[in-house]
């Protein structure tokens, strides 16, 4: 049995030791130090030796954790340029107004967060005064991902510099009147201020990484040089628990994104209590980021701690700081000096002696007030180190106190995230602490006043001068006037109108072929951004590899295994394709960055992201909502769509519901095209609306979701006739009639209208033939390209009627006069076609693939769900039998005939 205490073999045991005697001497030296000076001294020497090795470029594994002290020692801190006292006064005004705004709003029951900005005020103020470049700076300025709960502080600063007024602040979280401020960073609600929607769920940090990466992509491809832009992501330590927060850390280090800085506000608290009550979140995050290859800067302690560290000649203080869990640090924040002397210093004789040299005031100053994240000098040093570090992204772990300066009722209390107001007495105490010139008489009827030093005050002039030097206000979103992109050549779209003849073509292949033509366009081809999560070959896109190249900042440093093939795997520094590996979340973050480049960088890009439809909305719907909030534009393509087309893969791959989820997103235009010419028409209209000459009443800030199928079938020619093009875009048009299909129905034959979307239309067409030939029923077939757009148009018509305007929904106009009942069929759950039921005047019923998917042939799956051609025939006969237009026995006969 192996002794668990025995020294285990390591990787070094596999290497030859060319000088065992020298090795033994080093080991003996370490043993001697441990015996003479103790294990702590031995560990200290080892850490210093490893740090030395790392600094001189010797290849050794990095330390994952360092001591619980500041990375930048006090002696190495640069002086802060500018007027520190002036910046203190500006920060004080911002703290006051942020708290006042939320407190005044609490009277209306709208809530808000006070404690987060109170902890992070200096993290923002230092950046705004010295680092964050505005839109008029070189390139596109910096991109700021603001921690959502800190938004009151950002509004307070915008109030100070004149971009907001008291009416705006009084309408915080009250947007219905038109002058309100959204609760968190929402570009759709406040598009001149906010660029990026944030607030928890890890979407901010994930998007920030891919934004920094997309900046490199734009520069590498020669679209725009944004190499001077820096991405700053402000995050909470609790937010880092979200999987998305750390999902792409390796990408950022692998690609050397030194244009990216995470600033994690380590106030040690989340909504309900400590982030790591029994552990240390800072140390955990340091290990995680260091292990992923990031540069880590810890800014933990303020200058009041300098004296304590100088007294720590034995290392006892550093050891004690490393072992005290976070929840106990929070407790020190709320306890008196006697408690701290006993609980913190009393655990070690060396610390007991140190404490004798410290006054109670000194102890309270250190444990109650002095945190690295609350001092401009400490924060400035960390930011300067971050922007000057090359070769890797930087994370700054800044320790703060949640609720700092808000009084004893807030600071470090577990409930402070839910506390929405201060009392008048608490505000007066805060005023005195911040040294603000606000009089008691300014509190009228118990209402806390806003504070402003005056538009021409030294504080405001200083603030505005600093912002002017850095390139203008921040945060700010700008959409620079740009000419609409020219429409691609018509032949790229028209080539699909003639159909495929006898050749079987899946709509996925049709879409890829269309993209191949569009990326060759001389005017707009370079604007396309193909995004795929390691499924390009599944979708037939490998032919794009050699022609467009896959983006890689290192280019291609190897000889590809398929180098002799026509469609070889090609990576390039200026590659156009973003092939992200197996990460739908990363691909969506790519899409968001590309789709909003028109505002972020003033460069219009046309992203399309193609994915297994099952793994899009179901897996990343939060990001689709983020995309809509950020006013993104582009094409999402759900390939291998539908519940019955992806044979053999089973329920985990069988999408029967993505259009349902997509319908909940107001910015998503959802289409389920059946034929190649429909795909082309929808993409053509999308290019016009999002990037070209949109109609005055059309919102350009939308994105398109198209479902395409991997089932190769003959593609028909586009029908000739009025309304086809309009119907494709609006969601419904008549594909054929029983007569135009040459089915020769009897003059008085019963008639039914069959509506089909996507691949289902092929079963509908087969059913149309069976109904005519075997049951004497005439069926007209309609292609429903978008159930969702039909519904939205109908909802708008309903709203117009309530305003006294006469308007008929398009679906009702299209079906007006159509004989017989309507039967709608989809490869999705019935909820999808049922979206339009209430606006169809005819008798309406539907068929769909409800329930879980299964592994089998397409034919068997369709029979299982009751959506195959024979099932459609039986459902159609049942509808007609109800109306007395066919014999009731026909339904039973059909069921028996088709083995249903």
């Amino acid at each position: 049995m192996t002794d668990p205490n025995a020294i285990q073999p390591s990787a070094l045991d596999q290497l030859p030791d060319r000088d065992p005697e020298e090795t033994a001497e080093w080991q003996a030296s370490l043993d001697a130090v441990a015996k003479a000076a103790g294990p702590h001294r031995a560990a200290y020497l080892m850490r210093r030796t490893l740090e030395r090795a790392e600094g001189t470029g010797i290849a050794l594994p990095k330390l994952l954790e360092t001591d619980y002290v500041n990375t930048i020692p006090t002696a190495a801190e640069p002086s802060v340029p500018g007027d520190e006292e002036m910046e203190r006064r500006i920060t004080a005004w911002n703290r006051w107004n942020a708290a006042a705004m939320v407190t005044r709003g609490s009277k209306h029951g709208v809530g808000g967060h006070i404690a987060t900005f109170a902890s992070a005020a200096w993290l923002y103020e230092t950046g705004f005064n010295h680092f964050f470049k505005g839109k008029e700076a070189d390139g596109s300025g910096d991109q700021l991902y603001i921690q959502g709960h800190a938004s009151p502080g950002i509004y307070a600063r915008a109030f100070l510099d004149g971009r907001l007024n008291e009416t705006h602040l009084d309408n915080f979280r009250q947007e219905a009147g038109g002058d309100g401020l959204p609760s968190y960073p929402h570009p759709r609600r406040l598009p001149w201020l906010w660029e990026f929607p944030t607030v928890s769920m890890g979407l901010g940090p994930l998007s920030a990484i891919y934004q920094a990466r997309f900046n490199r992509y734009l520069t590498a491809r020669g679209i725009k040089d944004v190499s001077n832009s820096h991405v700053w992501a402000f995050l909470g330590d609790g937010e880092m628990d979200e999987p998305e927060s750390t999902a792409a850390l390796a990408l950022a280090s692998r690609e050397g994104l030194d244009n990216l800085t995470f600033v994690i506000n380590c106030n040690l608290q989340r909504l309900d209590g400590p982030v790591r009550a029994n552990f240390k979140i800072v140390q955990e995050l340091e290990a995680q980021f260091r292990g992923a290859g990031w540069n880590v800067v810890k800014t933990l302690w303020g200058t009041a701690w300098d004296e304590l560290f100088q007294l720590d000649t034995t290392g006892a203080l550093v050891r004690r700081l490393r072992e005290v869990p976070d929840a106990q640090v929070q407790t020190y924040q709320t306890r008196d000096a006697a408690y701290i002397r006993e609980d913190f210093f009393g655990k070690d004789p060396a610390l007991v002696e140190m404490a004798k040299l410290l006054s109670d005031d000194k102890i309270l100053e250190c444990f109650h007030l002095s945190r690295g994240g609350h001092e401009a000098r400490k924060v400035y040093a960390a930011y300067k180190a971050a922007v000057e570090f090359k070769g890797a992204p930087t994370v700054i772990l800044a320790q703060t106190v949640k609720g700092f300066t808000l009084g004893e009722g807030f600071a470090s209390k577990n409930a402070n995230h839910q506390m929405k107001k201060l009392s008048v007495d608490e505000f007066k105490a805060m005023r005195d602490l911040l040294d603000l010139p606000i009089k008691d008489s300014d509190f009228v009827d118990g209402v806390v006043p806003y504070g402003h030093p005056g538009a021409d005050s030294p504080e405001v002039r200083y603030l505005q001068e600093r912002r002017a030097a850095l390139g203008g206000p921040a945060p700010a979103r700008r959409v620079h006037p740009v000419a609409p992109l020219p429409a691609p050549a018509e032949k790229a779209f028209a080539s699909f109108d003639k159909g495929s003849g006898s050749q079987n073509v899946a709509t996925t292949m049709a879409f890829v072929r269309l993209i191949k033509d569009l990326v060759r366009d001389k005017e707009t081809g370079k604007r396309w951004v193909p995004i795929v999560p390691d499924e390009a070959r599944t979708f037939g896109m490998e032919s794009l590899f050699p022609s467009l190249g896959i983006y890689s900042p290192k280019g291609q440093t190897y000889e590809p295994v398929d180098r002799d093939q026509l469609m070889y795997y090609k990576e390039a520094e200026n590659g156009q394709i973003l092939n992200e590996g197996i990460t739908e979340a990363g691909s969506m973050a790519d899409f968001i960055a590309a789709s909003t480049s028109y505002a972020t960088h003033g460069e219009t890009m046309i992203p399309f992201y193609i994915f297994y439809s099952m793994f899009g909305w179901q897996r990343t719907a939060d990001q689709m909502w983020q995309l809509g909030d950020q006013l993104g534009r582009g094409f999402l393509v759900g390939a291998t769509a539908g519940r019955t087309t992806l044979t053999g893969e089973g329920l985990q791959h069988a999408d029967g519901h993505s259009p349902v989820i997509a319908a909940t997103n107001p910015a998503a235009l959802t289409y389920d095209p059946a034929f190649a010419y429909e795909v082309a028409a929808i993409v053509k209209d999308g290019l016009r609306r999002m990037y070209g000459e949109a109609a005055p009443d059309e919102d350009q800030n939308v994105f398109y979701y198209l479902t395409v199928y991997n089932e190769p079938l003959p593609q028909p020619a586009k029908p000739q006739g009025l309304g086809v093009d309009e119907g494709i875009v609006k969601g419904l048009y008549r594909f054929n009639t029983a007569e135009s299909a040459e089915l020769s129905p009897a003059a008085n034959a019963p008639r039914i209208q069959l509506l089909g979307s996507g691949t289902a239309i092929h079963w509908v067409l087969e059913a149309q033939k069976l109904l005519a030939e075997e049951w004497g029923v005439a069926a007209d077939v309609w292609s429903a390209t978008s159930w969702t757009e039909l519904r939205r148009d109908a909802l708008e018509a309903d709203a117009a009627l309530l305003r006294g305007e006469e308007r008929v929904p398009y679906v009702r106009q299209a079906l007006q006069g159509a004989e017989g009942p309507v039967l709608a069929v989809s490869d999705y759950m019935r909820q999808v076609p049922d979206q339009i039921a209430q606006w169809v005047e005819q008798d309406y019923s539907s068929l769909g693939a409800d329930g879980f998917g299964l592994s089998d042939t397409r034919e068997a799956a369709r029979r299982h769900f009751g959506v195959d051609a024979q099932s459609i025939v039986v459902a159609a006969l049942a509808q007609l039998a109800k109306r007395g237009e066919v014999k009731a026995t026909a339904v039973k006969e059909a069921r028996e005939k088709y083995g249903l």
Side-chain angles (χ1 to χ4, degrees):
M1 185 173 179
T2 303
D3 180 0
N5 297 314
I7 297 176
Q8 299 299 310
S10 70
L12 294 177
D13 295 323
Q14 311 302 315
L15 303 176
D17 188 345
R18 66 182 186 183
D19 194 340
E21 185 176 346
E22 181 183 37
T23 303
E25 289 174 358
W26 275 78
Q27 292 171 336
S29 297
L30 183 63
D31 293 341
V33 171
K35 183 176 181 181
H40 297 303
R41 177 62 181 170
Y44 176 84
L45 290 176
M46 287 301 301
R47 286 198 301 272
R48 289 299 189 203
T49 301
L50 286 171
E51 289 170 358
R52 178 78 173 187
E54 182 180 334
T56 56
I58 298 174
L60 280 174
K62 292 184 178 181
L63 287 169
L64 293 186
E65 282 187 37
T66 59
D67 286 323
Y68 202 66
V69 297
N70 293 349
T71 302
I72 303 172
T74 301
E77 291 171 358
S79 59
V80 181
D83 188 332
E84 288 190 58
E85 172 57 23
M86 185 70 72
E87 292 178 20
R88 185 200 66 77
R89 297 207 301 269
I90 292 171
T91 306
W93 285 116
N94 291 339
R95 288 182 182 277
W96 177 272
N97 288 322
M101 178 195 327
V102 176
T103 297
R104 287 167 68 130
S106 69
K107 294 185 176 181
H108 303 287
V110 296
H113 300 281
I114 300 179
T116 295
F117 178 72
S119 67
W122 276 111
L123 302 180
Y124 291 107
E125 194 59 39
T126 302
F128 284 130
N129 286 324
H130 302 288
F131 292 94
F132 305 157
K133 295 186 287 293
K135 290 296 184 183
E136 282 79 41
D138 187 21
S140 303
D142 289 354
Q143 287 81 57
L144 308 180
Y145 288 78
I146 303 296
Q147 190 179 0
H149 293 145
S151 61
I154 308 305
Y155 291 140
R157 198 173 201 277
F159 169 66
L160 209 63
D161 72 10
R163 292 197 290 166
L164 295 174
N165 56 41
E166 288 193 13
T167 300
H168 290 119
L169 301 193
D170 264 345
N171 285 317
F172 173 61
R173 293 195 172 195
Q174 300 172 75
E175 300 178 73
D179 290 324
L181 300 178
S183 52
Y184 303 127
H186 290 306
R188 186 169 286 276
R189 290 300 182 205
L190 202 61
W192 60 267
L193 180 71
W194 298 119
E195 272 198 292
F196 308 106
T198 53
V199 180
S200 198
M201 293 189 290
L203 302 186
L206 180 68
S207 293
I209 290 173
Y210 280 89
Q211 181 65 58
R213 197 283 198 90
F214 186 74
N215 291 356
R216 291 281 174 86
Y217 171 89
L218 278 183
T219 302
R221 289 196 54 217
I223 302 293
K224 183 178 183 180
D225 184 357
V226 294
S227 53
N228 287 325
S229 291
H230 200 89
V231 178
W232 300 83
F234 287 83
L235 316 167
D237 46 3
E239 181 181 1
M240 300 310 294
D241 283 349
E242 292 284 1
E244 292 84 356
S245 295
T246 55
L249 297 186
L251 167 73
S253 61
R254 184 170 66 245
E255 299 202 0
L257 297 182
D258 50 25
N259 60 338
L260 170 67
T261 297
F262 276 16
V263 181
I264 302 181
N265 178 14
C266 297
N267 57 37
L268 313 185
Q269 285 184 252
R270 52 189 176 198
L271 275 65
D272 289 333
V275 177
R276 292 290 184 274
N278 296 298
F279 306 94
K280 302 190 79 62
I281 185 60
V282 169
Q283 299 299 87
E284 179 182 320
L285 290 174
E286 178 184 28
Q288 194 169 19
F289 277 87
R290 280 181 174 271
W294 286 53
N295 175 44
V296 179
V297 177
K298 293 197 291 192
T299 303
L300 306 180
W301 308 110
T303 53
W305 284 81
D306 289 349
E307 179 184 342
L308 275 67
F309 288 124
Q310 290 171 1
L311 294 172
D312 185 29
T313 57
T314 66
L317 176 63
V318 173
R319 291 196 300 274
R320 181 66 179 140
L321 287 174
R322 191 165 61 239
E323 69 187 23
V324 174
D326 283 353
Q328 192 63 23
V329 173
Q330 299 294 84
T331 298
Y332 295 148
Q333 179 71 33
T334 63
R335 302 301 292 268
D336 59 19
Y339 177 88
I340 298 171
R341 283 183 187 276
E342 179 181 351
D343 192 85
F344 181 83
F345 292 97
K347 304 297 184 183
D348 187 294
L351 293 181
V352 171
E353 294 302 312
M354 179 189 295
K356 293 177 181 178
L357 304 175
L358 304 174
S359 67
D360 284 357
D361 287 345
K362 180 66 176 180
I363 288 176
L364 292 178
E365 180 186 13
C366 288
F367 283 85
H368 284 193
L369 302 174
S370 188
R371 300 290 187 275
H374 296 320
E375 295 188 13
R377 180 174 178 175
K378 304 291 185 184
V379 175
Y380 180 87
Y383 286 7
K384 190 170 188 292
V387 297
E388 292 178 353
F389 190 87
K390 300 303 177 186
T394 294
V395 59
I396 295 169
L397 303 174
Q399 186 165 252
T400 66
V401 175
K402 194 166 186 175
F404 189 65
T405 73
L406 297 180
E408 294 182 1
F410 264 83
S412 291
K413 294 297 176 66
N414 282 340
N416 61 20
H417 194 83
Q418 307 301 330
M419 297 163 70
K420 313 299 182 187
K421 59 184 177 180
L422 278 70
S423 68
V424 169
D425 288 342
E426 287 171 326
F427 265 110
K428 290 179 179 178
M430 181 183 177
R431 171 201 61 189
D432 297 341
L433 176 65
L434 297 176
D435 192 25
L436 290 172
I438 296 173
K439 302 185 293 294
D440 285 355
S441 59
D442 292 335
F443 292 82
V444 180
D445 297 327
V447 177
V448 58
Y450 293 120
H452 200 293
D456 197 39
S457 65
E459 292 92 336
V460 173
R461 288 202 304 272
Y462 180 89
L463 181 157
Q464 293 175 341
E465 287 168 2
R466 292 305 309 143
R467 289 312 315 156
L470 288 167
R477 181 180 182 272
R478 300 280 178 84
V479 179
H480 299 283
V482 293
L485 293 182
E490 180 63 27
K491 65 180 181 180
F493 307 102
S495 62
F496 293 92
D497 290 351
K498 61 184 178 181
S500 64
S502 60
Q503 182 184 5
N504 289 337
V505 177
T507 51
T508 298
M509 296 300 101
F511 176 81
V512 171
R513 184 184 130 196
L514 175 63
I515 294 301
K516 287 180 185 176
D517 291 340
L518 293 176
V519 296
R520 295 191 189 105
D521 186 86
K522 292 181 180 180
E523 295 289 336
T524 60
K526 68 177 182 179
R527 302 276 172 187
W528 284 89
V529 183
I531 302 168
V532 61
D534 196 37
E535 292 284 1
R537 297 182 191 278
T538 301
F539 307 137
M541 292 175 57
E542 65 270 28
S543 62
L544 296 178
F545 290 167
S547 58
L548 301 184
I550 299 167
Y551 170 72
S552 169
K554 289 185 175 293
Q556 195 154 35
T557 61
Y558 60 91
E559 188 175 24
V561 67
D562 54 0
R563 60 195 176 278
D564 297 328
Q565 297 179 18
L566 181 62
M567 294 185 286
Y568 66 96
Y569 196 80
K570 176 186 175 183
E571 297 187 77
E573 290 182 34
N574 63 345
Q576 192 165 350
I577 300 170
L578 293 174
N579 191 330
E580 290 306 348
I582 306 174
T583 168
E584 286 79 14
S587 300
M588 267 307 302
D590 266 338
F591 188 90
I592 292 169
S595 70
T596 54
S597 180
Y598 73 93
T600 308
H601 295 300
E603 292 289 343
T604 300
M605 305 301 287
I606 312 172
F608 80 85
Y609 164 35
I610 187 167
F611 49 89
Y612 268 71
S613 66
M614 185 66 164
F615 305 145
W617 288 86
Q618 174 171 294
R619 189 168 289 189
T620 56
D622 284 338
Q623 288 177 285
M624 272 79 163
W625 197 269
Q626 178 190 4
L627 168 64
D629 193 0
Q630 200 168 318
L631 308 173
R633 306 169 184 172
F635 297 96
L636 295 176
V637 184
T640 59
R643 183 147 277 164
T644 69
T645 62
L646 188 57
T647 57
E649 298 285 359
L651 67 91
Q652 290 184 336
H653 288 65
D655 172 23
H657 54 281
S658 69
V660 178
I661 307 175
T664 66
N665 191 312
L669 277 60
T670 303
Y671 287 91
D672 187 24
F675 306 123
Y677 66 80
E678 292 178 351
V679 172
I682 293 164
V683 171
K684 178 182 177 181
D685 188 71
L687 291 172
R688 176 199 63 80
R689 177 168 177 174
M690 294 186 290
Y691 304 103
E693 298 285 356
D697 62 339
E698 288 182 311
D699 182 5
Q700 283 190 282
N701 298 316
V702 296
F703 60 93
Y704 282 60
Y705 174 53
L706 281 74
T707 51
V708 292
Y709 298 83
N710 69 331
E711 187 171 10
L713 292 164
Q715 294 296 324
K718 180 178 174 181
Q720 299 300 310
L722 296 175
V724 173
D725 289 326
E726 178 189 32
I728 291 173
V729 173
K730 288 194 170 184
L732 183 68
Y733 69 96
R734 184 155 51 196
F735 175 74
N736 72 14
T737 64
E739 290 76 13
S740 65
E742 299 180 351
L743 296 174
S744 305
N748 59 348
R751 188 172 290 268
I752 189 169
Q753 308 299 316
L754 300 180
L755 279 57
S757 67
T759 196
I761 204 166
H762 296 283
W763 326 326
V764 168
L765 288 168
E766 185 180 349
Q768 178 191 38
K769 186 176 181 182
L770 290 174
L771 282 166
E773 294 178 351
E774 299 182 7
W775 304 97
V777 172
D780 299 336
V781 173
W782 299 70
S783 180
T785 53
S786 180
W787 309 101
T788 302
E789 286 307 296
L790 291 174
R791 175 179 174 80
R792 287 177 177 169
D793 171 80
L795 290 172
E796 290 173 6
D798 286 355
L801 286 173
L802 292 176
R803 296 192 300 267
E805 303 170 17
E806 287 295 329
R807 183 174 164 190
V808 179
Y810 174 80
V811 64
R812 187 170 296 168
Q813 294 178 42
L815 291 171
Q816 188 173 18
E819 298 178 41
V822 170
L823 175 60
V825 187
S826 165
D827 200 21
Y828 293 95
M829 55 197 300
R830 288 175 59 184
Q831 188 174 338
V832 176
D834 284 351
Q835 290 181 86
I836 67 170
Q838 72 184 81
W839 293 280
V840 176
E841 293 182 317
Q842 294 87 343
D843 293 337
Y844 187 90
S845 63
S846 64
L847 295 175
D850 286 77
F852 289 108
L854 73 166
S855 299
D856 212 311
T857 64
R858 291 183 179 121
E859 293 75 16
R862 287 161 190 168
R863 176 57 59 92
H864 170 79
F865 287 111
V867 293
D868 61 346
Q870 292 78 13
S871 298
I872 295 171
V873 169
V874 172
L877 292 174
Q879 278 286 81
L880 292 168
K882 271 199 256 180
R883 297 160 57 95
E885 297 179 14
V886 301
K887 294 179 181 179
T889 56
V891 180
K892 181 181 178 183
E893 292 173 14
R895 279 202 303 266
E896 293 175 350
K897 178 173 183 172
Y898 300 133
L900 298 177

